Amino acid sequence: MHSFDYDRADSVDTALQLGKEPGARFVAGGTNLLDLIKAGVERPQRLVDVGRLPLASIDATPDGGIRIGAMVGNADAADHPLVRAHYPLLQAALLAGASPQLRNMATIGGNLMQRTRCHYFYDIGFDACNKRDPGSGCAARDGVQRQHAILGASEHCIATHPSDMCVALVALDASVVVRSAGGERRIPVEDFHRLPGDTPERDTNLEAGELIVAVELPPSRCGAHCHYLKVRDRASYAFALVSVAAALQLDGGIVRAARIVLGGVAHKPWRAQAAEQSLRDRPLDEAALRRTAALAVQGARPYPGNAFKVELAQRAVIRALSIAGGMR
Ligand code: SF4
C-alpha cells in the first residue's frame, strides 16, 4: 500500500505553501484522484486537502456575469439560482455528468482537473501508456478505441477529455482563475486543456504551484438559445461518446454568433470554429445545419473502433443546433 502525508489547508496561502513541496497534490472532493491513487496510477507523497477553503460561493460580477468558487460542488452549482436563470447550458452539462452522489462530492475546480477515462491509463497491468509512463507507447492505438479521440490526437495518445462541464464552459467563453505565489492569472477555459502532442502526460496548462480558485463567466449572450446534448452508452452515469454544447445569438431567424463545442471527441473540449463561422449572418435552415455538421468534424482521423463517431458527431451537432435554434 502506498502511504502519503495528509494536510488540510485553512487558507489559499497555506495551500500554496504546502502544495509546492515535491510530490504534493491538491485534493477536494477526491472523486477522481482517490480512484487514481487506489489504482496505483497516482502516487503522491502528500495530499493537500483544499476542500474547506473559503472558495464555495457563486457571486454576480459587476459586468453581469458570475464567479463560481473552485470549491463549489457540482450539484450546488447546477442548483444555484444564478446558474439556473442565466446559464441553462452550464446547468444541463453539470447535470449530465456522473451520478447524483458524485455530483454532491465533486467540485468545480476538480472537474476541470479530472483525467481521461482511457481504460489503459487506469489499468497499470498495461505497460504501454504515454500519459501514465511517458515513452512507453499507447495501448489504445491497437486496442479498444470506442471512447477515444477522432480529432486533435497524436501518435502518442488518442485519449479524450471526460468532462461535460468544461464543454459548456468553453461555449460560454468562461475563464479559469488560478493563483500562485506570484499572484493571480486568468486562463480561458478554451486554452486550459491541451492536445496531447508529444507530451500527453500534461492535461492542462496549469503550471506547478498554481491552484484553481474560481471560474468566471461573462454575461450569457445566448439566452435560452442553447442546448447541451450528450450521447452515451447508458442513460446515466456514463462518459460521453459524443457531446455537443451549442449556443446561438439569434436576430429574428438569422444567426449573429454561434458557439459549437464537442466533447468525447478530443483530448480537450473541441471548439468547431469553422462550423461556427459558417452559420454567421445566415438563416438557420436544414442546408446550414448539414454544412455546419460536416465542418464540425473536418480533419477527423478515426480508428476502426471509433469511426462511428464521425457520423454520430454530425448528427449530434444538427440535433443540438436544431433545439438551440427552436427548430424542434
Ligand atoms: Fe495512455 Fe493516451 Fe494511449 Fe490511453 S490513449 S493508453 S491514455 S497514451
Side-chain angles (χ1 to χ4, degrees):
M1 179 176 161
H2 175 69
S3 61
F4 51 83
D5 294 328
Y6 172 86
D7 289 290
R8 180 177 291 159
D10 56 9
S11 71
V12 171
D13 288 342
T14 305
L16 292 173
Q17 186 67 29
L18 292 166
K20 72 181 184 185
E21 294 185 19
R25 295 292 310 271
F26 295 124
V27 65
T31 57
N32 188 204
L33 181 58
L34 297 188
D35 281 349
L36 290 166
I37 293 173
K38 285 187 278 187
V41 177
E42 294 269 6
R43 299 177 67 82
Q45 299 302 306
R46 177 186 293 268
L47 284 189
V48 180
D49 188 342
V50 294
R52 298 192 188 184
L53 293 180
L55 301 171
S57 66
I58 299 180
D59 303 295
T61 54
D63 67 351
I66 60 171
R67 177 181 170 108
I68 306 175
M71 296 309 137
V72 173
N74 285 9
D76 292 334
D79 197 36
H80 194 278
L82 286 172
V83 174
R84 286 164 51 185
H86 303 296
Y87 302 94
L89 183 65
L90 176 59
Q91 184 193 30
L94 283 164
L95 293 177
S99 65
Q101 293 91 336
L102 286 165
R103 291 197 293 271
N104 283 336
M105 287 299 296
T107 62
I108 297 299
N111 197 322
L112 283 154
M113 294 301 292
Q114 66 175 307
R115 308 202 71 187
T116 182
R117 262 55 182 192
C118 172
H119 317 294
Y120 305 102
F121 174 66
Y122 274 77
D123 188 343
I124 61 173
F126 287 96
D127 292 332
C129 176
N130 289 321
K131 186 177 285 295
R132 176 165 30 85
D133 182 13
S136 62
C138 174
R141 291 186 59 192
D142 297 315
V144 177
Q145 304 126 356
R146 184 170 178 79
Q147 290 288 141
H148 289 78
I150 58 171
L151 290 158
S154 74
E155 62 179 302
H156 302 292
C157 181
I158 60 171
T160 49
H161 174 75
S163 167
D164 294 292
M165 178 193 79
C166 295
V167 178
L169 288 179
V170 173
L172 292 166
D173 296 331
S175 296
V176 186
V177 185
V178 303
R179 200 177 299 169
S180 69
E184 195 168 278
R185 71 179 177 121
R186 283 165 176 72
I187 310 169
V189 178
E190 185 177 353
D191 300 329
F192 185 77
H193 300 98
R194 297 163 59 96
L195 292 178
D198 57 6
T199 54
E201 69 276 14
R202 287 196 66 190
D203 294 332
T204 74
N205 285 313
L206 203 65
E207 300 293 343
E210 288 185 320
L211 175 67
I212 298 170
V213 294
V215 171
E216 290 181 342
L217 282 77
S220 175
R221 288 179 282 269
C222 59
H225 293 299
C226 59
H227 190 70
Y228 186 72
L229 176 66
K230 180 175 183 177
V231 183
R232 48 188 157 177
D233 279 328
R234 289 189 300 254
S236 80
Y237 193 35
F239 295 96
L241 289 169
V242 168
S243 68
V244 178
L248 299 172
Q249 291 179 51
L250 291 174
D251 178 6
I254 305 298
V255 178
R256 295 301 178 202
R259 287 286 184 277
I260 303 167
V261 186
L262 281 74
V265 299
H267 200 259
K268 60 182 287 188
W270 185 263
R271 186 171 164 198
Q273 287 187 314
E276 293 172 1
Q277 286 298 324
S278 77
L279 287 176
R280 194 172 183 132
D281 296 327
R282 292 184 177 177
L284 190 66
D285 55 23
E286 291 295 334
L289 291 174
R290 282 196 296 276
R291 182 180 65 243
T292 303
L295 286 168
V297 295
Q298 198 174 42
R301 294 183 59 191
Y303 280 77
N306 65 8
F308 70 95
K309 284 191 179 184
V310 178
E311 178 65 24
L312 182 62
Q314 291 180 82
R315 294 185 184 206
V317 166
I318 290 172
R319 185 170 183 82
L321 285 170
S322 300
I323 296 171
M327 299 169 69
R328 301 190 186 196

